[in-house]
Amino acid sequence: MIQTLFGSSDEKPEKEKRSFFDRMKQAVTRTRENLAERIDEVVSFHKEIDRDTLDDLEATLIAADLGTTTTREVLQKMREKVDRKQIGDVGELKRVLKDELLAILTTAAEKPVKSVDGEPEVILVVGVNGTGKTTTIGKLANHFRAQGKTVLLAAADTFRAAAIEQLEIWGSRTGTEVIKTKAGGDPSAVLFDALQAAKARKMDYVIVDTAGRLHNKANLMAELEKMYRTAQRIIPGAPHETLLVMDATTGQNGLQQARVFTEAAGVTGIVLTKLDGTAKGGVVVAISRELGLPVRFVGVGEKQGDLLPFNPNDFVESLFA
Amino acid sequence: MFENLSDKLQRAFKSLRGQGTLTEENMNEALREIRVALLEADVNFKVVKELIDHIREKASGQEVMTSLSPAEMVVKVVRDELVAILGTDTAKLKFASQPPTVVLMAGLQGSGKTTTSGKLAGWLKKGGHRPMLVSVDVYRPAAREQLKVVAKAISAHLYEGSNVEANTATVERLAKEARKEAINNGCDVLIVDTAGRLHIDEQLMEEMQSLKRLLNPQEILFVADAMTGQDAVNSAKEFHDKLSLTGVVLTKMDGDARGGAALSIRNVTGQPIKFIGIGEKYDALEPFHPDRIVSRILGMGDILSLIERAEEKLDKKKSEEFARKALSGDGFSLEDFRDQLRQVKKLGSLQSIVGMLPKIGPFAQMHQVSDKVDEKQITRVEAIINSMTSYEREHHEAINGSRRKRIARGSGTSVQEVNNLLRQYAQMRKMFKSMSKPSFAKRLAGMKLPNGM
């Protein structure tokens, strides 16, 4: 099931593909200073490739939060190609840069997803505070419901004030039941109850909301590990997907977040939220490059439908459109 | 927070060490390292450029003082420059001559406005004020419920309001009503929690402006996430242009983000960072100390914060009792030792404690060691002591072979580990005892202190 959801764009109908592309474009080009325009600016300004061209490109990539390491590596490859006369003019640089970024994102996206047989598919949603986990879950529930799937939500964020109420509102908006406990309860216990209920009722999906936690808090990460183990015990192979929700405004700390959350909860993919702002979310390129983690979805607004399956091709296209 | 940046700068300066003079060449290398470090710390690239230019100008223009090495000289210039950006003013709120003072909280989604509103109310209460909270976030599900829970937890006044609809008219009505309610209740400060919004959302930014006209707030605080990347300048600038911010609260500073956003935001708004959020508890709000953070950036450690934390968390009486016992003829027991372990654990992870120490001079090695120390080791030691009888804890010499075996089994460790602990304990006891003798003071005075920077 998940294969079709996260699968390659070839299988998608042409119409959906276009609307996805348009919306991505809309989301990313909303900013006046987006990466594509700035590259165009750079490209049209310098006809011949010189040191300044590469310096300007460097500034552009850094400004998009790709980080110094990724930027340096990407530009090094371009510099080599320029030296070997494989790139003749500045216009070509754009294409090469695009290909380079695409290669990084595509390799990560090819990572296989755990298969599910006959059991509810469990999606654990994790992340630091305030990235938009609960909102993303509401949108995910809407996404699956629209496909006619049955979904159960587990309110395992028992810590933050009114987190359970927030998820319940999303539950009623999307016609999805929420399994919960009282505030301050044991998150693993909620998870246990939710998975048991989902098994008994033969649900298609269980989406688990967890409390936001900073990845450097050992005890909170241990709690997450415990939840991961609890899920495994009840449904072998669960969680089938652990989504790390990351705010597009996040800087280089995103890399460390991805590392530590992967260690504790086996992150399988990223949801990049708040991409409707001016932030580019370029840190995901660094994450894909270093950890091979794919981006699964992007969040582009506060409404139910503002969650789009991620497609590396379209993502890079929209950056350059 | 800034450990990694410290690392890099430290490395950059190391390359300068041992060289007699500042040359264009060796300074360039240090500056390149500083540039990368600042970029990796998420300082905006334009701010970094400005900073590097200033430093280059100042460092090469100045004569190297004889009392400082070239490395120390660059440290000084960088330090001065960062302090100049962050400012030297610490947290202060402006209060209205005619109460209530209105504090408007603004920021992007998920930056921590609601939690910060609660913390700020708690902070004001401690300072003898009567704050009232109101949430005008009519958009996000359960946002107003969240503030209600927060207000209850810190027992602060809250204006709830009724007939809430998700539109600007309701937002304005709630704000007006809350202000009236604050006056009626004799509350001298009204904290207005607003919905998170994108700086490019024209409609919601207009709503913010109309709130400002309506309430005429003394403070408009921009709540920003310490993890923010390069985009920090865009959002901060836009919020500042539209609202004329009066200050910034930097949240999630208890994470390990390097927090370069602090430099970026300060640079584009010119407004002081008034507070930092350092945890999820409602008292985890601290005044911002630019000098401390600059010290931290430069690897000079954050000893002041460590001392503050220690004072807050440690049981002073117990520590004094321990010191008295340890230095006395009887020495401290394993029971006392366990108490001390538990106290140290309260301070946080070993790495976070060591992280606050400078990376130079006598502390440099501790940083290397702390990376290798297994945090679980402390838990294991505690488990071993837990498996002893109270008699054994007071009389360590009575722990013979069969007792050791039992203790190892009970704590899930090995006899070897029990032996290790007992040996170390015996050594520590001896060391402490010798410290009480006058000869120790003499020995200490004779010891040479390493030359730090």
Side-chain angles (χ1 to χ4, degrees), chain A residues 32-100:
Chain A
R32 274 163 295 163
E33 274 203 334
N34 76 48
L35 179 59
E37 275 176 35
R38 300 202 36 179
I39 286 173
D40 276 340
E41 221 173 86
V42 169
V43 165
S44 56
F45 192 74
H46 305 276
K47 288 288 174 231
E48 260 173 61
I49 302 165
D50 52 15
R51 213 197 126 86
D52 282 353
T53 317
L54 291 170
D55 280 357
D56 286 348
L57 275 178
E58 183 191 32
T60 308
L61 295 181
I62 292 281
D65 282 321
L66 266 78
T68 54
T69 315
T70 306
T71 300
R72 206 184 311 132
E73 200 194 73
V74 166
L75 287 184
Q76 186 56 39
K77 283 189 182 172
M78 299 225 286
R79 208 168 277 137
E80 280 164 17
K81 285 183 179 166
V82 171
D83 286 348
R84 279 189 254 121
K85 310 266 185 243
Q86 282 169 317
I87 303 175
D89 63 288
V90 176
E92 242 188 304
L93 265 181
K94 187 175 157 185
R95 187 183 55 77
V96 177
L97 177 61
K98 202 165 74 180
D99 286 350
E100 199 58 53

Side-chain angles (χ1 to χ4, degrees), chain B residues 70-97:
Chain B
E72 286 167 332
M73 197 67 202
V74 179
V75 173
K76 189 179 169 300
V77 176
V78 175
R79 192 194 147 84
D80 290 350
E81 199 57 37
L82 295 188
V83 169
I85 289 187
L86 287 172
T88 46
D89 37 358
T90 54
K92 261 186 209 127
L93 287 183
K94 282 191 288 285
F95 291 96
S97 50

Side-chain angles (χ1 to χ4, degrees), chain A residues 58 62-63 65 68 129-130 159-162 166 214-217 249 251-253 256-257 274 276 278-279 302, chain B residues 35 39-40 42 45 109-110 140-142 146 149 198-200 227-231 252 254-257 280:
Chain A
E58 183 191 32
I62 292 281
D65 282 321
T68 54
N129 316 63
F159 181 79
R160 204 202 74 205
Q166 189 181 347
L214 293 172
H215 49 282
N216 60 339
K217 307 253 161 114
T249 60
Q252 296 312 300
N253 191 244
Q256 186 64 4
Q257 286 174 27
K274 307 179 199 174
D276 46 335
T278 51
E302 293 183 334
Chain B
R35 179 175 174 272
L39 286 175
E40 282 295 293
D42 292 322
F45 73 103
Q109 291 93 338
R140 204 198 75 199
Q146 186 184 345
V149 176
L198 287 170
H199 47 289
I200 49 168
M227 293 179 272
T228 313
Q230 297 287 322
D231 195 51
K252 309 179 202 172
D254 48 333
D256 59 2
E280 300 201 47

Side-chain angles (χ1 to χ4, degrees), chain A residues 216 253, chain B residues 1-6 41 226 250-260 276-278 286 288 292-293 296-297 302 305 309 351-352 355-356:
Chain A
N216 60 339
N253 191 244
Chain B
M1 304 171 208
F2 291 99
E3 284 84 1
N4 296 328
L5 178 55
S6 315
L250 207 58
T251 61
K252 309 179 202 172
M253 282 288 274
D254 48 333
D256 59 2
R258 299 175 211 174
I276 57 172
I278 50 156
E286 276 187 357
F288 178 72
R292 287 189 201 176
I293 288 204
R296 216 172 156 132
I297 291 172
D302 190 8
S305 293
R309 209 203 282 184
Q351 277 184 21
S352 78
M356 291 189 186

